[in-house]
């Protein structure tokens, strides 16, 4: 049961992050950083379903989306989409602080931020559909905790949450 609770919570947090980005706008310098956390939450939901323990990704892979994605098996049908979000990694690490010369790092341009948000919205929808997560609930629970496999897609519950 706890596994299903965690999967639901990670997907809900990713959805809430997307809502925050929508409210801030794609040109806000913090939007790309918030999108990183949405991506990380989706990865953490996948790790829970794949039985990939925190110790496997919290070390050298922490806050490195490419390394986190590498931990997923190739059979995970969202792996390639998650991999496309790797440019967000910089916005969770070096972006948060000024350079050594005291300059603020330039944010991602609004069009690239929009593309990342669109990819993440698509992923959140896939997670909701696959896991049967109701985003209208404050603390949604997934209906199952099976790893995401293409051959299971047609047998999974339909989403019941609000559109993204």
């Amino acid at each position: 049961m706890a596994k299903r609770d965690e999967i639901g919570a990670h997907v809900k947090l990713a959805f809430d992050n997307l809502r925050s980005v929508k409210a801030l706008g794609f040109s806000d310098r913090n939007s790309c950083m918030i999108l990183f956390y949405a991506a990380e939450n989706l990865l953490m939901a996948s790790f829970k379903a794949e039985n990939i323990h925190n110790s496997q990704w919290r070390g050298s892979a922490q806050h490195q989306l490419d390394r986190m994605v590498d931990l997923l098996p190739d059979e995970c049908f969202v792996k390639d989409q998650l991999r496309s979000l790797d440019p967000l990694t910089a916005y969770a690490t070096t972006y948060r602080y000024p350079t050594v010369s005291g300059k603020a790092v330039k944010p991602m341009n609004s069009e690239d931020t929009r593309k990342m948000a669109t990819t993440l919205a698509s992923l959140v929808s896939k997670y909701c559909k696959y896991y049967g997560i109701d985003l209208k609930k404050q603390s949604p629970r997934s209906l199952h905790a099976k790893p995401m496999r293409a051959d299971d897609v047609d047998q999974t519950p339909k989403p019941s949450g609000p559109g993204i």
Side-chain angles (χ1 to χ4, degrees):
M1 199 70 89
K3 192 180 215 184
R4 291 174 37 214
D5 290 338
E6 285 185 58
I7 290 169
H10 282 301
V11 175
K12 174 73 171 174
L13 289 170
F15 175 75
D16 289 348
N17 285 331
L18 284 170
R19 286 189 0 204
S20 294
V21 168
K22 185 177 180 181
L24 285 172
F26 301 117
S27 60
D28 187 284
R29 67 179 291 108
N30 292 307
S31 289
C32 48
M33 189 168 46
I34 295 168
L35 290 175
F36 166 84
Y37 291 108
E40 192 174 60
N41 268 289
L42 292 180
L43 276 160
M44 290 164 68
S46 291
F47 291 162
K48 190 53 69 176
E50 296 284 353
N51 292 315
I52 298 171
H53 299 283
N54 290 353
S55 62
Q56 291 177 263
W57 64 268
R58 285 210 186 262
S60 63
Q62 188 171 9
H63 297 309
Q64 302 295 317
L65 294 179
D66 61 333
R67 292 181 189 165
M68 293 172 78
V69 171
D70 285 345
L71 295 172
L72 293 174
D74 291 339
E75 297 82 21
C76 178
F77 72 86
V78 293
K79 186 174 181 175
D80 288 338
Q81 265 190 294
L82 289 165
R83 187 170 302 289
S84 73
L85 299 170
D86 183 53
L88 293 172
T89 296
Y91 298 97
T93 54
T94 57
Y95 176 78
R96 293 184 293 183
Y97 308 104
T99 65
V100 292
S101 63
K103 299 201 184 329
V105 178
K106 185 177 177 185
M108 186 179 286
N109 69 55
S110 60
E111 187 55 36
D112 288 342
T113 303
R114 180 186 309 276
K115 287 177 187 175
M116 293 289 172
T118 300
T119 298
L120 278 158
S122 171
L123 281 163
V124 168
S125 292
K126 287 177 182 180
Y127 277 75
C128 286
K129 180 179 179 185
Y130 186 81
Y131 288 109
I133 295 170
D134 183 352
L135 292 173
K136 290 185 236 171
K137 294 183 177 180
Q138 180 64 32
S139 297
R141 173 181 288 152
S142 66
L143 297 180
H144 65 84
K146 297 186 306 187
M148 298 178 89
R149 302 293 183 262
D151 53 345
D152 291 335
V153 172
D154 293 330
Q155 290 100 31
T156 56
K158 301 293 182 239
S160 56
I164 297 175

